[in-house]
Amino acid sequence: MRARRLPLTVALPTAALLTALCAAPALAAPPTTPVPTPVDPSQPPFTNPNPTPQPGPIIGDAGAGLGLVRVLPGSVQTDAPGLTDEQEKKLPKQAAGEFGVGLAIAQGNSHAVYAHDRAIAESSPFGFALGGRAPRTPGALAQTASPDNAKPTVGGLTPPANPLLNIGLVEGSVHARWDDKLGPCVEPVADAKTSVASLSAINTIPSLPRISDLSSIAAGKVDLIEAVKGLAAPLSQLGGLLTANGSLVRLPETMSAQSTVRLVDVPDHKGKAVSAVSTVQLASIQVLAGTPQEIRIDVVSKPTLTALSTGDAKTSKVTYTAPVLRVSQGGKTLGTLDAANPRLDVPVGIPLPGLGNLPIVGAGARKLDIGVLRLEVGQLKEKRDGSSVGAVARLMDLQLLPTDALALPGLPAALAQVAFGEQVARASAPPGGVVCKAITPTSTQGVASPEPQGSPPGPELAYTSAAYQTVPLFWTGTFLLLVGVIMVAALPDRRRT
């Protein structure tokens, strides 16, 4: 019996069919939300495309800032890409400039696409935004996980002085953790702390005129023009109260901000809850420091903002310990700021001609009130969606507001604004809480995983560049197989005898 080799016309379609069948898994439809891939095909992906499920999912965010200065708040229209002019007008306006000091941010997120973003801890001496746009600032500390970090990262720096903010020594500590098998079941998930030795802010108010003669811009305001001429300095320096040695606000003692995300035990709950805590520690605040009109604000109790998610809407909650502030001037108490009395207005006026050359803060001699120092405390805004809870709070807001007497063209609603102790917290846990137990792909636990579950049995390739060379090697082997089939089919046909 004689056997013949396949002719070329049969060998080519056969090889093509075999190649298509072998490549069928690679041609399957991609997932609904594809994971970003590296530009270099030989580079490993940023995350494991088929990871082992972990306890969770969880989301926890906590942030705190010691001070935030806003210049010309509400004066810049928000510019958002993809929105029409009419849509942008409905958005709140931004400040012309924002400068933050002593920032501490902690985040934990099982949903993060990149593995190294599961836990993030950041400590920054300062940050700024111009017209709502915030570039990255140097000098910040950051730590991410996974992989896990056994120890925190610490550092310090002294920022350079500038007309708006003078900052002392800044020290920071950041710690981000994430377990390869237990995910967020670590202590803590993320923790960031920033301390500042001292701070003074706003030595000049750019929204006020820098000249002492207002005749050309305050027509008809004869009393204002004459009163300003007698001041020791222009209105931009509050008539001499803001100088090189005198700032609108000063924090002379060490202050700190801390943000922490962790899992905690809750009574009568089997699973752990997600806790995001933001804490601000301030001792005292001086307004118009170093001047005869200095106002002292003592922080009697520190504010603490906590968002706790148990996985159950009934027991998830936001807890806020409102601060208590005592306001005094020259040893005399002006008032107390707390949850029951959240606002205190202190008038700022120019003495009438012949009665002095410095503005008067508070009640006093005959003067022309040109502004109001408004102090507000305990501003809490809470939001919840089922068991997901979050809130934003401030220790104190100081605004310098113009009055009708200061009828100058183009003045914004607030001449300057300084926020102390801004805090934010958000937490979300799965139903029943987080069960800190390693989960296998075939686990029947009711805790849902945000990541693809299940992986084929057998040994897995290590996540290195060499492991991912298997894909190009497969196609190289397939190509050589195809060439071999063609060569065999093209060889002369030999008959067996």
Side-chain angles (χ1 to χ4, degrees):
M1 187 174 181
R2 296 179 299 177
R4 296 188 178 184
R5 297 186 182 274
L6 291 174
L8 183 61
T9 55
V10 177
L12 283 176
T14 303
L17 178 61
L18 290 174
T19 303
L21 292 176
C22 293
L27 298 177
T32 305
T33 306
V35 177
T37 56
V39 177
D40 185 358
S42 64
Q43 179 182 344
F46 296 110
T47 57
N48 184 343
N50 194 18
T52 301
Q54 296 177 343
I58 69 135
I59 293 178
D61 294 319
L66 293 175
L68 183 63
V69 179
R70 292 182 173 92
V71 179
L72 305 182
S75 62
V76 178
Q77 179 62 54
T78 303
D79 181 13
L83 298 183
T84 63
D85 293 341
E86 292 298 324
Q87 291 173 328
E88 288 180 351
K89 290 179 180 179
K90 297 180 181 179
L91 298 176
K93 292 185 177 182
Q94 305 289 330
E98 293 179 293
F99 302 85
V101 181
L103 309 178
I105 301 171
Q107 297 178 331
N109 187 357
S110 299
H111 296 278
V113 173
Y114 303 112
H116 57 263
D117 286 343
R118 301 288 168 82
I120 301 175
E122 295 182 79
S123 171
S124 180
F126 63 91
F128 67 94
L130 300 176
R133 302 181 183 275
R136 293 183 178 180
T137 57
L141 295 177
Q143 197 176 80
T144 63
S146 57
D148 191 18
N149 299 285
K151 297 181 179 180
T153 299
V154 297
L157 107 108
T158 302
N162 62 80
L164 286 174
L165 291 173
N166 291 329
I167 310 172
L169 175 64
V170 180
E171 296 181 320
S173 172
V174 292
H175 198 188
R177 305 199 61 192
W178 198 270
D179 190 87
D180 290 337
K181 294 182 179 180
L182 295 179
C185 296
V186 290
E187 174 56 32
V189 177
D191 180 77
K193 183 176 181 179
T194 306
S195 63
V196 180
S198 62
L199 165 68
S200 62
I202 305 185
N203 292 333
T204 182
I205 301 178
S207 53
L208 288 177
R210 299 185 180 184
I211 57 176
S212 298
D213 188 354
L214 304 182
S215 302
S216 59
I217 60 176
K221 290 287 182 179
V222 179
D223 50 354
L224 177 63
I225 295 173
E226 294 301 322
V228 171
K229 287 181 179 179
L231 294 178
L235 284 179
S236 60
Q237 296 178 348
L238 276 185
L241 294 180
L242 303 182
T243 62
N245 298 322
S247 303
L248 181 61
V249 293
R250 178 186 295 172
L251 288 78
E253 302 173 63
T254 301
M255 65 216 82
S256 63
Q258 185 170 8
S259 301
T260 306
V261 175
R262 55 166 45 98
L263 299 184
V264 297
D265 292 321
V266 177
D268 301 326
H269 279 74
K270 181 179 179 181
K272 292 181 177 291
V274 179
S275 173
V277 182
S278 174
T279 305
V280 172
Q281 178 70 60
L282 296 175
S284 63
I285 303 170
Q286 296 174 347
V287 180
L288 300 173
T291 71
Q293 310 294 331
E294 178 179 316
I295 296 176
R296 181 181 178 90
I297 304 170
D298 294 309
V299 182
V300 179
S301 63
K302 67 179 181 180
T304 301
L305 177 63
T306 302
L308 182 72
S309 176
T310 63
D312 184 354
K314 295 181 180 180
T315 54
S316 298
K317 60 182 179 179
V318 170
T319 305
Y320 181 56
T321 303
V324 177
L325 308 178
R326 185 171 55 247
V327 184
S328 61
Q329 184 182 40
K332 180 181 178 182
T333 300
L334 299 181
T336 299
L337 293 173
D338 53 25
N341 303 282
R343 177 182 294 181
L344 177 64
D345 287 347
V346 181
V348 178
I350 303 176
L352 297 179
L355 298 180
N357 62 353
L358 286 177
I360 300 173
V361 180
R366 297 172 59 193
K367 65 184 187 304
L368 177 65
D369 289 338
I370 62 169
V372 173
L373 280 175
R374 174 164 294 173
L375 309 178
E376 290 185 283
V377 69
Q379 299 180 12
L380 175 67
K381 296 182 180 180
E382 181 180 345
K383 185 177 181 180
R384 62 168 53 235
D385 181 9
S387 62
S388 299
V389 294
V392 178
R394 292 178 184 172
L395 181 147
M396 192 190 77
D397 224 8
L398 183 149
Q399 290 181 294
L400 180 58
L401 305 174
T403 64
D404 294 337
L406 199 62
L408 300 177
L411 285 184
L415 302 175
Q417 179 178 349
V418 184
F420 298 95
E422 287 210 3
Q423 300 170 272
V424 61
R426 180 180 62 151
S428 177
V434 180
V435 179
C436 288
K437 182 179 179 181
I439 302 175
T440 61
T442 57
S443 173
T444 58
Q445 292 192 26
V447 180
S449 173
E451 302 156 353
Q453 299 191 26
S455 58
E460 296 182 358
L461 294 172
Y463 274 79
T464 62
S465 296
Y468 283 89
Q469 298 295 340
T470 54
V471 175
L473 284 176
F474 165 78
W475 287 109
T476 302
T478 302
F479 175 73
L480 293 176
L481 174 63
L482 180 60
V483 172
V485 172
I486 296 175
M487 292 180 63
V488 171
L491 289 176
D493 185 16
R494 295 185 179 181
R495 300 175 181 271
R496 293 183 181 181
T497 58

